[in-house]
Amino acid sequence: MIITTTASIEGREISEYKGIVFGEVITGVNFIKDFGAGLRDIFGGRSSGYEEELVAARSEAISEMKTRAEKIGADAVVGAKMDYEVLGQAGSMLMVTISGTAVSLK
């Protein structure tokens, strides 16, 4: 499955547009990661706990979109766009969404 942010795939022709597909993940950041990130906010540095959570959420969202595209018979997803949001009263939830157009290729 090809997933691209471009509107076309070089060297391939789109034969059918199947529709828009999405992948969504909402994940919570636990207390230990929150505490460590708070210290890094004060003293500086990168928050590996948050970075790992973001990488995992992004990967899950892409995988979910790919699965949904495959279910409708698509060979690829073009025009993929990813978004990130912070949710919850304390901002302790991370939402990662990705969307694109599922297509069949010749």
Side-chain angles (χ1 to χ4, degrees):
M1 169 81 53
I2 298 169
I3 299 174
T4 181
T5 59
T6 60
S8 61
I9 299 170
E10 189 174 338
R12 302 292 300 269
E13 187 177 336
I14 294 172
S15 61
E16 181 182 2
Y17 290 88
K18 301 282 194 174
I20 299 170
V21 287
F22 296 89
E24 305 93 359
V25 172
I26 299 175
T27 183
V29 180
N30 68 34
F31 171 75
I32 294 170
K33 289 179 185 174
D34 243 1
F35 181 73
L39 291 176
R40 283 177 192 78
D41 193 29
I42 294 167
F43 299 110
R46 294 173 65 166
S47 173
S48 63
Y50 279 159
E51 288 175 1
E52 290 167 6
E53 197 69 39
L54 179 60
V55 168
R58 185 172 49 226
S59 186
E60 286 178 45
I62 291 169
S63 178
E64 186 175 300
M65 183 183 70
K66 177 183 169 186
T67 298
R68 289 177 177 169
E70 288 171 341
K71 281 184 181 177
I72 59 173
D75 301 313
V77 177
V78 297
K81 181 181 183 290
M82 191 166 285
D83 243 341
Y84 304 89
E85 294 290 331
V86 177
L87 304 173
Q89 290 179 342
S92 61
M93 303 290 286
L94 173 66
M95 178 174 70
V96 178
T97 60
I98 187 168
S99 62
T101 304
V103 297
S104 291
L105 302 172
K106 284 190 178 180

